[in-house]
């Protein structure tokens, strides 16, 4: 919902301000992607925190409700969102860039083609471009996030994101920020193509069911 609502309203507003369709679609997709990432994190981060507590617990496992109550009583409600900041730093740019580049590529292919291209081909090609582009640009954030989490777990105390980035570049060079980018890009492309084909198909099915529902009501 956040993806479609945020993206649609942003695209419509930008198009009304005179932006080209490709630019409006790209920026609208980025807004929708960022909105979706933020909304989903507000929902799943507490469950992720609780599941981690269940995994590392010793002895008799606590129930989900018991763990939630214990976290809130000892750390307050913000305890359910511990570590959300670093997740936000990586997930929001990734989602915004992926959906923005996907929408821009999709619109560009459709406008550049003299004939209407196969829908599936356009979706897969757009998702592949979005995956390659986004994984390359956000790989440094993911690399720093991973190092930060590992160092925090080993040292038992929080490690600053910026400090880890500086140490990584100083000791291993700037190229270390893109170590593993090929496999991450491959994963992102496969994931994106699979996800977007299912997502777009569900949208088409939903669009077909609306007229049927209206005709039955009439």
């Amino acid at each position: 919902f956040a993806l479609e609502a945020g993206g649609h309203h942003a695209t419509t507003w930008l198009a009304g301000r005179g932006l080209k369709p490709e630019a409006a679609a790209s920026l609208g997709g980025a807004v929708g992607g960022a909105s979706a990432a933020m909304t989903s994190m507000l929902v799943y981060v507490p469950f992720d925190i609780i599941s981690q507590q269940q995994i590392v617990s010793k002895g008799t496992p606590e129930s989900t409700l018991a763990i939630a109550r214990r976290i809130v009583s000892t750390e307050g409600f913000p305890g359910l969102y511990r570590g959300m900041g670093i997740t936000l730093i990586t997930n929001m740019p990734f989602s915004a860039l992926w959906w923005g580049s996907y929408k821009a590529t999709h619109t560009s292919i459709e406008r550049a083609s003299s004939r209407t291209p196969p829908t599936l081909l356009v979706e897969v090609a757009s998702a592949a471009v979005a995956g390659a582009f986004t994984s390359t640009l956000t790989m440094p954030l993911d690399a720093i996030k991973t190092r930060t989490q590992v160092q925090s777990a080993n040292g038992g105390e929080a490690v600053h994101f910026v400090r880890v980035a500086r140490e990584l570049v100083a000791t291993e060079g700037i190229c270390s920020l893109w170590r593993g980018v090929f496999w991450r890009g491959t994963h992102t492309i496969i994931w994106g193509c699979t996800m977007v084909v299912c997502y777009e198909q569900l949208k088409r099915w939903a669009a077909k069911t609306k007229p049927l529902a209206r005709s039955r009501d009439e």
Side-chain angles (χ1 to χ4, degrees), residues 163-187:
R163 194 184 84 188
V164 172
R166 288 174 178 171
E167 290 177 354
L168 183 60
V169 173
T171 57
E172 302 182 36
I174 192 73
C175 292
S176 63
L177 297 175
W178 280 272
R179 188 179 298 142
V181 68
F182 174 78
W183 295 111
R184 184 172 187 262
T186 302
H187 169 268

Side-chain angles (χ1 to χ4, degrees), residues 40-125:
S40 63
M41 279 188 284
L42 289 173
V43 175
Y44 81 72
V45 166
F47 290 98
D48 192 41
I49 293 292
I50 293 170
S51 68
Q52 289 173 3
Q53 293 278 332
Q54 288 178 324
I55 291 170
V56 301
S57 64
K58 298 179 180 179
T60 305
E62 293 181 275
S63 67
T64 300
L65 186 58
I67 293 175
R69 285 175 175 172
R70 176 167 55 80
I71 293 173
V72 172
S73 64
T74 56
E75 303 179 42
F77 189 73
L80 293 173
Y81 291 92
R82 190 190 319 120
M84 184 174 174
I86 192 170
T87 305
L88 202 67
I89 289 172
T90 54
N91 286 14
M92 276 192 70
F94 179 89
S95 185
L97 283 170
W98 195 96
W99 284 104
S101 54
Y102 170 77
K103 294 287 186 181
T105 306
H106 196 288
T107 304
S108 298
I109 292 174
E110 289 184 330
R111 289 175 62 86
S113 302
S114 56
R115 298 179 181 179
T116 304
T119 302
L120 181 62
L121 182 61
V122 175
E123 292 168 358
V124 170

Side-chain angles (χ1 to χ4, degrees), residues 16-34:
R17 296 299 183 277
L19 257 71
K20 293 181 179 180
E22 292 88 348
S26 178
L27 293 173
V31 171

Side-chain angles (χ1 to χ4, degrees), residues 3-4 99 103 194-203:
L3 174 65
E4 284 298 315
W99 284 104
K103 294 287 186 181
T194 306
M195 179 274 296
V196 86
V197 168
C198 297
Y199 167 76
E200 296 287 6
Q201 184 59 51
L202 286 172
K203 279 177 60 179

